[in-house]
Amino acid sequence: MTTPCIISVAITGSVPQKKDNPAVPISAAEQVESTQQAFEAGATLVHLHVRNADGTTSSDPERFARVQEGLRQHCPGIIIQFSTGGRSGTGHERGAMLPLRPDMASLATGSCNFPTRIYENSPELVDWLAAEMIKYDVKPEVEAFDLSMIFQAVKMAQDGRIRGPLHAQFVMGVKNAMPVDRETFEFYVRTLRRLAPDATWTGAGIGSGQLKLAHWSLELGGHCRTGLEDNIRRDKDHLASSNAALVEQVAALCPNYDRHPASVAEARQLLSLPPAG
Ligand code: ZN
């Protein structure tokens, strides 16, 4: 028996990159189609930003609603996760789509530097986003860009500001934040296990770190994130042809670690989400 690995696909980043890889889906129809292909390739969780027609990031709940509706229709049971990241508007705008009750939403529990700016998550904003997630029954995925964010998430779960069991994502390879580093990665895993034994986790590597983190996560019992948001390349010399192609790459690694891509039912059970309706 192999153990399931939830493959998350981050289909569209918040930073305009269409000019770099035309495979990045922008319109709602493109996003639904790209997700459906990734779903058929083995992804069971989609992480979502939405864009305006000109490719700039949007925080319009109406656009999130349109994609959500298409995904529910074409990818039955897929776990829908909205990004509340720094580019989905500013301040409370970042949670304006939470009343749509996606299955999950991302939640950074601290601030750090990004390539050209500060990824600013004030304590007030973090608490407000977390409270909105409780109000609308949305499970957070804690985006941990450094160790303190893991501690903060555990504290919030203990205080009841986040509903457990925790799900954390260890993000490595963002320029000016935590680089891709094996010892730190192992320490993240050990720390989360020690502080929150029932927590689940995913490894997310940026750029050339994407595949490396997939290997490490499969090896250490975690889940994997891939997709064009984090990495537009299949390898050093080739652009990825689609989100599905990146998902296939991770799915193909699973057997090497006695893992298999989780089914919708397995993914929902692992994350303590209700079964697909
Ligand atoms: Zn994102």
Side-chain angles (χ1 to χ4, degrees):
M1 270 295 280
T2 59
T3 53
C5 167
I6 302 165
I7 303 178
S8 302
V9 63
I11 57 165
T12 306
S14 56
V15 182
Q17 56 182 355
K18 180 107 179 166
K19 65 181 187 330
D20 298 316
N21 188 338
V24 175
I26 304 294
S27 71
E30 284 171 350
Q31 289 191 304
V32 172
E33 190 187 2
S34 187
T35 306
Q36 188 179 2
Q37 291 164 355
F39 181 62
E40 284 161 6
T44 41
L45 190 159
V46 58
H47 169 86
L48 196 67
H49 297 257
V50 294
R51 300 277 194 87
N52 299 307
D54 64 359
T56 55
T57 302
S58 166
S59 56
D60 181 2
E62 160 56 27
R63 291 193 78 90
F64 278 98
R66 212 175 320 149
V67 181
Q68 179 171 251
E69 195 187 317
L71 293 177
R72 284 186 175 152
Q73 202 178 342
H74 294 281
C75 310
I78 197 168
I79 297 166
I80 299 173
Q81 179 189 94
F82 291 166
S83 171
T84 66
R87 301 232 177 201
S88 303
T90 52
H92 288 201
E93 238 178 21
R94 285 169 47 182
M97 76 307 251
L98 293 173
L100 294 169
R101 297 177 179 270
D103 298 291
M104 299 183 79
S106 59
L107 177 70
T109 48
S111 302
C112 64
N113 277 351
F114 265 11
T116 57
R117 65 192 180 96
I118 301 172
Y119 185 30
E120 203 176 321
N121 297 291
S122 70
E124 184 279 330
L125 179 63
V126 174
D127 277 338
W128 181 79
L129 285 169
E132 289 288 288
M133 290 182 200
I134 286 179
K135 184 162 142 194
Y136 295 111
D137 199 20
V138 178
K139 177 163 177 147
E141 175 178 83
V142 171
E143 306 301 338
F145 291 85
D146 77 24
L147 188 59
S148 70
M149 300 187 198
I150 298 172
F151 276 83
Q152 181 65 16
V154 170
K155 188 165 188 301
M156 290 177 76
Q158 286 166 348
D159 293 349
R161 285 176 288 161
I162 289 180
R163 201 186 42 227
L166 273 181
H167 178 69
Q169 177 158 267
F170 307 138
V171 188
M172 291 187 146
V174 175
K175 188 181 171 194
N176 299 328
M178 182 57 74
V180 176
D181 181 74
R182 172 76 188 208
E183 282 197 36
T184 307
F185 186 74
E186 287 183 20
F187 192 72
Y188 279 176
V189 174
R190 278 210 307 280
T191 302
L192 186 67
R193 273 195 196 131
R194 174 168 63 84
L195 301 176
D198 61 348
T200 48
W201 60 272
T202 297
I206 307 303
S208 61
Q210 186 169 71
L211 210 49
K212 199 178 272 187
L213 256 73
H215 279 278
W216 295 353
S217 300
L218 288 167
E219 181 192 339
L220 299 180
H223 305 286
C224 297
R225 166 160 142 167
T226 189
L228 294 167
E229 170 173 349
D230 303 337
N231 175 28
I232 55 171
R233 301 192 169 275
R234 190 186 75 211
D235 58 43
K236 190 162 62 63
D237 301 315
H238 300 92
L239 290 179
S241 57
S242 63
N243 279 301
L246 292 173
V247 171
E248 278 164 16
Q249 209 174 23
V250 175
L253 295 178
C254 285
N256 302 344
Y257 297 95
D258 293 324
R259 309 287 300 271
H260 65 268
S263 65
V264 159
E266 287 172 326
R268 288 182 167 273
Q269 190 183 18
L270 282 162
L271 293 173
S272 308
L273 292 169

